[in-house]
Amino acid sequence: MRIILFDGICNFCNKSVRFIIKRDAKGEFRFASLQSETGQKLLKKHNIPETTDSFVLVDGEQASVESTAALKVSSKLKWPWKIFALLLVIPKPIRDSIYRIIARNRYRWFGKQESCMIPSKEIRERFIE
């Protein structure tokens, strides 16, 4: 099972989750907020600091963070989004520095919510509490 952990109060992150759901033709991804009990357990299991606010992909026993996680997710989406996985050839320090600029400014650029997203009935089964 592939689980995406995301910042549940971040508007950009919530829109990204909806974007992924629409383009995940095979329904391969499940979702949990970083703030949830499941999110915190998975962070601990994979030795990721529980204070992380990064996008995390847990794929079986492997966990990826930041740009690597995002690009691995894109590789499983419908065409043309798969093509972004080619960016994995760029050295991780370069990719992650760009990722961190966006991450540091996401609340200022996109805003945030007072509480985590509540999924609609249509997508609720894709979320883990």
Side-chain angles (χ1 to χ4, degrees), residues 3-24 29-35 54-56 73 77 113 116-120 123-124 126-128:
I3 302 170
I4 295 172
L5 304 179
F6 66 100
D7 181 351
I9 60 171
C10 167
N11 286 338
F12 177 72
C13 303
N14 286 320
K15 288 178 184 177
S16 296
V17 166
R18 288 186 179 101
F19 178 91
I20 293 166
I21 288 170
K22 284 184 180 180
R23 289 153 184 87
D24 177 17
F29 296 107
R30 298 291 178 263
F31 303 89
S33 74
L34 289 164
Q35 296 87 351
S54 175
F55 186 85
V56 178
V73 168
L77 301 181
Q113 302 174 25
C116 290
M117 172 179 90
I118 299 173
S120 66
I123 61 172
R124 193 168 292 143
R126 305 278 304 270
F127 287 78
I128 302 168

Side-chain angles (χ1 to χ4, degrees), residues 64-115:
S64 303
V65 297
E66 297 183 329
S67 66
T68 302
L71 295 173
K72 283 183 175 182
V73 168
S74 76
S75 75
K76 301 295 182 188
L77 301 181
K78 293 179 187 177
W79 181 260
W81 308 107
K82 289 180 176 296
I83 200 150
F84 285 101
L86 294 174
L87 296 174
L88 285 165
V89 301
I90 297 171
K92 183 172 172 39
I94 295 170
R95 287 187 280 116
D96 283 349
S97 65
I98 295 167
Y99 176 95
R100 288 182 192 122
I101 290 169
I102 296 167
R104 265 195 312 272
N105 292 290
R106 71 184 187 272
Y107 293 146
R108 184 176 14 192
W109 294 344
F110 303 100
K112 69 180 189 176
Q113 302 174 25
E114 294 298 316
S115 61

